[in-house]
Amino acid sequence: MSANLDLLQPPAEPHVPETAFGKWFLRTETWTVHVLERALADLQRLMPADQPREFGVVADVGCGFGRSLGKLHQRYAPQRLIGVDIDPEMLQESAREVAALGIAAEFICCSSSNIKLEDDSVDLLFCHQTFHHLIDQERAIAEFYRVLKPGGVLLFAESTRRYIHSWIIRLLFRHPMDVQKTAPEYLAMVRSAGFSVPDSAVSYPFLWWSREDLGLMETALRIKPPAVREETLINLVAVKPR
């Protein structure tokens, strides 16, 4: 199988590059198992029972180093699999990742707020831990709506302002801090773009890695987290109305 790369040059749109630590972390098993796989499993659980489980065109916007692409291919059996990212280095690594798995994929180097795909061309769009990197989030969600077909599905998993503003994330990563949103604000943004998101298709995981203490208060001291808190993560399944 081969990979088609549209990698002439990185887009001119402003963005906040990932730190060296961030790029290292995206290649770790901790990321793959405890962040990515947990999000995919939760999003699949949130999908309506009558939703098809195969999608002809699947796009991962913000695919990074491509750890998600094999998992999306396995779950949804797309005829066309597309990885989108603004970082050419990451896309080249993604191409090697899917080639090693024997999977055919296309790669597009572009901003999430200016996606090089046609209107109504994608059946399922996966966006995982990407929005907190984006400067123009509203334009990006409008682009997601544009490229999805009527009836198309958005799988959205994101870290919220509470997590991105925590001391440990400020120390290790780099993000546009003034655009970060709370979980309710992310949900409102997706709905305002025109997507249908029932309450039953939303979850708020409070995973160990999304806590400032990395879960030590609960695991070591047996102190349960408060039931009422500012959420650190939001996962949701949205549908573009037909």
Side-chain angles (χ1 to χ4, degrees):
M1 298 292 183
S2 62
N4 176 27
L5 282 79
D6 178 7
L7 299 175
L8 295 180
Q9 60 183 12
E13 287 93 339
H15 70 287
V16 179
E18 187 57 272
T19 61
F21 176 87
K23 289 188 174 183
W24 169 82
F25 182 63
L26 290 174
R27 293 182 169 103
T28 65
E29 284 303 298
T30 297
W31 167 265
T32 304
V33 174
H34 295 287
V35 183
L36 175 60
E37 183 61 38
R38 289 289 294 271
L40 278 165
D42 193 38
L43 290 165
Q44 190 159 328
R45 176 185 66 83
L46 294 173
M47 291 181 71
D50 60 351
Q51 187 69 51
R53 290 301 189 264
E54 292 188 3
F55 297 86
V57 181
V58 171
D60 181 353
V61 179
C63 67
F65 291 113
R67 291 290 179 93
S68 56
L69 295 170
K71 295 176 182 296
L72 292 169
H73 186 270
Q74 182 181 39
R75 278 176 166 84
Y76 303 118
Q79 298 167 359
R80 185 183 179 198
L81 180 63
I82 306 167
V84 177
D85 205 281
I86 200 169
D87 188 323
E89 175 198 354
M90 289 186 175
L91 289 180
Q92 289 168 340
E93 290 288 335
S94 292
R96 284 190 278 270
E97 178 88 15
V98 298
L101 296 172
I103 295 171
E106 304 167 34
F107 295 94
I108 301 173
C109 189
C110 67
S111 167
S112 300
S113 57
N114 188 19
I115 301 174
K116 297 178 183 178
L117 288 170
E118 296 180 352
D119 296 358
D120 305 333
S121 60
V122 174
D123 295 292
L124 182 141
L125 193 153
F126 178 61
C127 185
H128 173 253
Q129 295 295 330
T130 295
F131 258 64
H132 62 270
H133 293 284
L134 305 184
I135 294 173
D136 194 344
Q137 296 182 340
E138 282 71 19
R139 184 175 172 188
I141 199 68
E143 280 288 274
F144 290 9
Y145 191 88
R146 178 186 67 80
V147 303
L148 276 166
K149 298 176 183 178
V153 176
L154 167 64
L155 304 183
F156 182 92
E158 192 49 71
S159 294
T160 70
R161 182 174 63 195
R162 178 70 184 86
Y163 180 55
I164 301 301
H165 282 197
S166 65
W167 70 268
I168 192 168
I169 299 305
R170 286 177 177 267
L171 176 66
L172 297 174
F173 301 91
R174 186 182 301 117
H175 304 104
M177 303 305 287
D178 59 339
V179 301
Q180 303 302 321
K181 291 181 172 57
T182 65
E185 287 171 342
Y186 272 124
L187 178 57
M189 179 191 69
V190 175
R191 286 173 168 164
S192 294
F195 287 101
S196 172
V197 189
D199 290 342
S200 60
V202 185
S203 75
Y204 305 97
F206 195 52
L207 304 180
W208 64 266
W209 54 263
S210 73
R211 310 179 192 183
E212 279 187 284
D213 67 347
L214 299 180
L216 292 175
M217 292 290 286
E218 184 171 13
T219 56
L221 302 178
R222 306 301 181 191
I223 299 174
K224 294 288 186 182
V228 179
R229 58 180 179 261
E230 186 175 352
E231 299 293 351
T232 57
L233 300 172
I234 181 171
N235 294 341
L236 63 85
V237 176
V239 177
K240 179 176 176 178
R242 294 183 184 278

